[in-house]
Amino acid sequence: MKPPSQLRCTCGKVHLQVEGAPIVSVECCCNSCRMAGARLETLPSAPRILEPHGATRFVLYRKDRVHFQEGTSHLKELRLTPEAKTRRVVATCCNTPVFLEFENGHWLSLYGGLWPEGTLPRLEMRTMASDLPPGVVLPEDVPNGKTQPFPFFVKLLGAWIMMGFRSPKLTFIHGTLHF
């Protein structure tokens, strides 16, 4: 089954299109993603973000392959600290997390909840499993990297090479999510 190229927030006001195959499909277990996920899940009507074992599901795409078509006025950013190098962007119309962006990165980590049921790309690996609290047991269905595994970096580097070492800037997000 071919994954959809049209993605939306829960209420449908924010539309984006992705083209081509993703860089990689992962679950991140890092402390920051778990902390942000727990905070974002407290927003009114927010969808579930954290998996039962605490990971956050992402599908990484090259920035030049993600096109926002409608609803960018609803997008606001959340940084866990003012000096954080990452921002999580949320559709405030329905509090749907849309993506995580690393400062100067060439990719977007799109939240798995954007995909219609049954169309989310197959999980390839988990990252940062060493950050999970003691006693959390991960399924053995994919590699569970204690950090970001080498294949993760190879895929990101390959995508950056294909982009001509460019890192496009997203200039349409104007505002901070406060709660």
Side-chain angles (χ1 to χ4, degrees), residues 14-86:
V14 175
H15 296 209
L16 57 146
Q17 180 176 352
V18 293
E19 63 180 77
I23 298 169
V24 66
S25 183
V26 304
E27 284 183 356
C28 182
C29 304
C30 81
N31 291 327
S32 295
C33 284
R34 287 185 298 109
M35 183 184 311
R39 285 181 66 187
L40 292 171
E41 285 182 347
T42 68
L43 292 170
S45 302
R48 183 173 175 91
I49 299 161
L50 298 173
E51 298 294 324
H53 45 269
T56 303
R57 188 72 156 83
F58 290 112
V59 180
L60 283 62
Y61 266 89
R62 292 170 30 175
K63 280 185 181 176
D64 63 349
R65 292 189 170 180
V66 179
H67 310 286
F68 286 84
Q69 299 173 315
E70 287 184 51
T72 57
S73 63
H74 297 288
L75 299 177
K76 304 269 187 242
E77 72 174 36
L78 168 69
R79 292 182 190 260
L80 292 178
T81 64
E83 58 280 342
K85 300 289 185 195
T86 58

Side-chain angles (χ1 to χ4, degrees), residues 3 12 21 29-30 41 50 52 68 82 99 120 130 133 138 146-147 152 160 166 169 178:
C29 304
C30 81
E41 285 182 347
L50 298 173
F68 286 84
F99 65 85
L120 184 63
S130 63
L138 293 172
K146 289 184 186 235
T147 60
F152 177 82
W160 198 30
R166 293 177 297 114
K169 301 289 180 219
H178 298 284

Side-chain angles (χ1 to χ4, degrees), residues 85-166:
K85 300 289 185 195
T86 58
R87 66 178 176 170
R88 287 147 178 96
V89 175
V90 175
T92 57
C93 45
C94 57
N95 291 322
T96 300
V98 179
F99 65 85
L100 177 146
E101 178 186 33
F102 285 92
E103 196 171 283
N104 300 318
H106 61 281
W107 75 95
L108 292 178
S109 299
L110 300 174
Y111 279 89
L114 295 174
W115 273 258
E117 190 172 330
T119 65
L120 184 63
R122 181 185 60 78
L123 180 65
E124 297 174 57
M125 67 181 76
R126 290 183 186 88
T127 64
M128 298 304 298
S130 63
D131 278 2
L132 288 169
V136 173
V137 178
L138 293 172
E140 294 292 331
D141 53 344
V142 296
N144 294 316
K146 289 184 186 235
T147 60
Q148 285 97 359
F150 183 70
F152 177 82
F153 287 112
V154 168
K155 288 176 182 252
L156 284 179
L157 178 60
W160 198 30
I161 291 168
M162 296 302 293
M163 291 176 67
F165 298 103
R166 293 177 297 114

